[in-house]
Amino acid sequence: MPIARFSPFELLLLKSRSQVDTATLLLLAWVLVHRQHVSEGQRRRRLAQVTAQFRHGHELAPVMSIAHSQDLQAIQLAAEVVRKECGTERSLSVIHQAITVATDDGELSLANHYILRFLADLLTVAPMTLNTLFKELTGTPLSTPEDPSRDAYWQTHDPDYHARKAREAAAAEQRHREAHARAEQQQQQKEQRHQQKQQKQQEKQQEKQRRQEEARQSKERDQQHQQEQARQQEQARQRQREQAEQAKQRSQRQGSYQHERRSHDSRQQRTAPPPPDRTARALSVLGLTPGASRVEVRHAYRRMAQLHHPDRFYSESEHQVALASARFQRIKNAYDYLMQTY
């Protein structure tokens, strides 16, 4: 049975004492990694301070690593856990904490501007409610974010943008003129070489005819040699076929004996206990290690069945529902096997 593969964040959820706290932790870490002029140590200390009352039970380093990797699937899964497991009040609390960690220094980075709006959408918090919370916490309204794709943004944040673009355009034009001049010079040289080539072709024509005659004679000799080799190879293949037929007859006799021997061995092994590696794989599917008790198996199955039940993915695509069904079936098969074995 194949071992189920989980993402780093899914493994954290499986090991977490509180999946909601772990999901909230990732959302806040995602906001913190986009704070400007803040060291990594300061980010971790601030995250530990904000989440001091959380009951997740694991280190902050893996969460910060996932946040730095910009894993949007993990972000969406975290928001889904918070939205499905909690009510509107907890979603508002998460937005409240996200605004707090995003504006500690009084500035809101452009990335976090978009992130706050994205989190509000994931947690089904209305834009008007987000604007109200932001103004209550910072004293200023949440303005429309700037668009880096527009010239006005670069005129404000990089006044030398247009001058640099003009210099780059002038340099490109200069390179174009130089390339054109080189192309003309190369064309002249090409024409000269073409004239020299035509003169040499006349000298080579006679030499070519002489070589063709020599090649024809050589080809005839090669054909005679190849025919002789073909006859020798055919004789060798005939000998190989005869040897192969003899070997096949010997192999059939040996195969008959080995088949009887394997049939005898298989009858003796039918009563043998199930291989230990199957038990290890079944435990691994449930996220357990060898030696786990029957109670631990039952608890692990209930936890994973709740997390991966196909009904949780009814709003997703057919492909996602099919994957969830296959994953849930592996979990159930592993549980049934372990219950029978234990």
Side-chain angles (χ1 to χ4, degrees):
M1 180 180 298
I3 300 175
R5 295 182 179 178
F6 300 100
S7 67
F9 183 63
E10 289 175 332
L11 292 175
L12 280 180
L13 287 177
L14 292 175
K15 298 177 181 178
S16 174
R17 297 176 182 173
S18 172
Q19 294 186 352
V20 175
D21 286 348
T22 298
T24 305
L25 190 68
L26 177 59
L27 298 179
L28 297 179
W30 191 41
V31 174
L32 277 170
V33 298
H34 288 88
R35 283 276 304 275
Q36 297 179 348
H37 313 299
V38 178
S39 67
E40 185 66 18
Q42 291 173 330
R43 292 191 181 101
R44 293 193 181 187
R45 287 192 294 272
R46 181 58 176 140
L47 184 61
Q49 179 184 2
V50 174
T51 61
Q53 303 300 323
F54 284 14
R55 297 178 293 106
H56 48 80
H58 51 71
E59 299 293 334
L60 299 181
V63 179
M64 293 298 294
S65 176
I66 296 172
H68 276 292
S69 68
Q70 307 294 326
D71 188 349
L72 289 182
Q73 291 185 348
I75 298 297
Q76 291 176 342
L77 176 59
E80 181 181 352
V81 170
V82 173
R83 189 176 66 252
K84 289 187 175 181
E85 300 295 335
C86 304
T88 305
E89 183 178 352
R90 181 58 185 267
S91 298
L92 292 175
S93 175
V94 173
I95 294 296
H96 184 284
Q97 292 174 313
I99 295 173
T100 301
V101 298
T103 59
D104 279 343
D105 57 356
E107 296 182 2
L108 180 64
S109 67
L110 180 61
N112 274 335
H113 204 144
Y114 285 101
I115 287 174
L116 289 179
R117 293 178 181 274
F118 183 58
L119 285 180
D121 183 60
L122 288 177
L123 298 176
T124 64
V125 175
M128 184 176 296
T129 304
L130 173 65
N131 293 337
T132 302
L133 283 175
F134 189 87
K135 188 172 183 180
E136 289 178 355
L137 292 174
T138 64
T140 59
L142 182 62
S143 59
T144 302
E146 297 179 282
D147 188 356
S149 65
R150 301 178 62 87
D151 287 343
Y153 175 86
W154 296 103
Q155 289 176 358
T156 302
H157 296 276
D158 189 2
D160 191 43
Y161 174 76
H162 290 285
R164 186 170 62 254
K165 287 294 183 181
R167 291 194 297 270
E168 292 175 356
E173 180 64 22
Q174 179 64 24
R175 290 193 297 270
H176 176 71
R177 288 195 296 268
E178 293 176 354
H180 182 68
R182 288 194 299 269
E184 290 183 348
Q185 184 179 4
Q186 291 175 357
Q187 182 63 25
Q188 294 176 358
Q189 294 175 354
K190 182 178 180 180
E191 291 177 355
Q192 293 176 359
R193 289 194 298 269
H194 180 66
Q195 293 176 358
Q196 294 174 359
K197 183 178 181 180
Q198 287 180 342
Q199 293 175 358
K200 292 181 178 179
Q201 283 180 349
Q202 296 177 356
E203 298 175 355
K204 292 181 178 179
Q205 187 64 27
Q206 297 178 352
E207 180 67 18
K208 181 179 179 180
Q209 294 176 355
R210 185 182 62 82
R211 292 181 178 177
Q212 287 178 349
E213 180 62 23
E214 294 178 353
R216 185 184 62 80
Q217 296 176 357
S218 177
K219 184 177 180 180
E220 291 178 354
R221 292 193 297 269
D222 291 341
Q223 289 178 348
Q224 294 175 357
H225 180 66
Q226 290 175 1
Q227 291 174 357
E228 180 63 27
Q229 287 184 339
R231 286 194 296 271
Q232 294 177 359
Q233 291 175 357
E234 179 61 27
Q235 294 175 357
R237 285 194 293 270
Q238 180 64 26
R239 290 194 297 271
Q240 290 176 356
R241 285 194 293 268
E242 293 175 355
Q243 293 174 358
E245 182 65 25
Q246 295 175 358
K248 181 178 179 181
Q249 294 176 358
R250 290 195 299 270
S251 177
Q252 289 176 350
R253 291 193 294 270
Q254 293 176 357
S256 176
Y257 171 76
Q258 292 176 357
H259 176 72
E260 295 177 357
R261 180 64 179 270
R262 284 194 299 269
S263 299
H264 177 73
D265 293 343
S266 62
R267 287 193 297 270
Q268 292 181 346
Q269 293 176 358
R270 286 176 184 173
T271 58
D277 56 337
R278 182 178 179 185
T279 302
R281 289 196 301 271
L283 289 171
S284 178
V285 170
L286 298 179
L288 300 173
T289 57
S293 64
R294 185 184 182 90
V295 175
E296 292 175 339
V297 170
R298 185 179 296 107
H299 288 174
Y301 168 72
R302 291 176 180 175
R303 182 174 62 257
M304 296 191 68
Q306 181 181 8
L307 182 62
H308 298 286
H309 198 278
D311 292 345
R312 294 172 58 89
F313 300 87
Y314 73 93
S315 60
E316 303 292 339
S317 65
E318 293 181 0
H319 178 66
Q320 293 293 336
V321 173
L323 291 178
S325 299
R327 186 162 54 245
F328 180 78
Q329 187 61 42
R330 289 198 301 271
I331 294 171
K332 187 175 185 307
N333 291 341
Y335 173 74
D336 294 339
Y337 170 77
L338 291 173
M339 288 296 100
Q340 294 175 2
T341 303
Y342 276 53

